[in-house]
Amino acid sequence: MRTLSKKTQYALRALYVLAANYGRGPTLIARMAAQESIPQDFLEAILLGLKRQGLVESKKGKGGGYSLSLPPERVTMGSVIRLLEGPLAPLPCASETAYRKCEECVDDQLCGTRMVMREVRDAMAEILDRTTLAQVCARMEEAKARARQGDDEGLMYYI
């Protein structure tokens, strides 16, 4: 199974910052880089790419920086990952948008691996396409609140 590239991981973290600040004006690259521990030069390149794709916009000068082009409720994880990584399918023969028969495949209609990988692709797409940046930010805030209260069930061990 392929993993998300560092570029996509950093882009998502930057987008969470922009989503959390949506409607409050642009956010400086230096602030995002420091807050998320992302190399600033790499973040600049990522944000320029996202700007070319229309996902973020920038403002120069005093009070400048980057902001989301759309409300965070309208940006899904699936759309961002596809934008940066391409199709979600783990194999080209399982892709909805970039289908390509595997070279070694005898009959893709009878291939068990393709059948399973299509299910994997569909399950991933279902989750990623219904999860927005706003929802992820809300989850992160809930986790922070639980951590402040010392109620982080994820780190509790019971014997």
Side-chain angles (χ1 to χ4, degrees), residues 16 35 82 126:
Y16 301 150
Q35 181 178 331
R82 284 184 190 93
E126 196 274 321

Side-chain angles (χ1 to χ4, degrees), residues 1 11 15 18 21 23 32 36 50 54-55 66 81 83 99 125 150:
M1 199 62 57
L15 290 171
L18 296 179
N21 292 320
M32 278 188 280
E36 295 298 320
L50 294 175
L55 191 55
Y66 279 87
I81 292 170
L83 189 71
Y99 170 84

Side-chain angles (χ1 to χ4, degrees), residues 6 11 22 30 45 70 82 91 94-95 100 126 129-130 133 149 157:
K6 276 286 188 211
Y22 186 76
L70 299 168
R82 284 184 190 93
L91 292 174
S95 177
R100 191 177 77 247
E126 196 274 321
D129 289 339
R130 71 173 154 81
L133 293 179
Q149 297 171 357
Y157 296 94

Side-chain angles (χ1 to χ4, degrees), residues 108-123:
D108 63 343
Q109 297 303 310
L110 302 176
C111 178
T113 302
R114 177 177 183 258
M115 291 174 194
V116 172
M117 290 302 120
R118 288 208 34 96
E119 288 181 42
V120 169
R121 180 246 167 258
D122 292 347

Side-chain angles (χ1 to χ4, degrees), residues 73-84:
E73 297 81 14
R74 292 190 42 210
V75 181
T76 66
M77 297 290 289
S79 66
V80 173
I81 292 170
R82 284 184 190 93
L83 189 71
L84 295 164

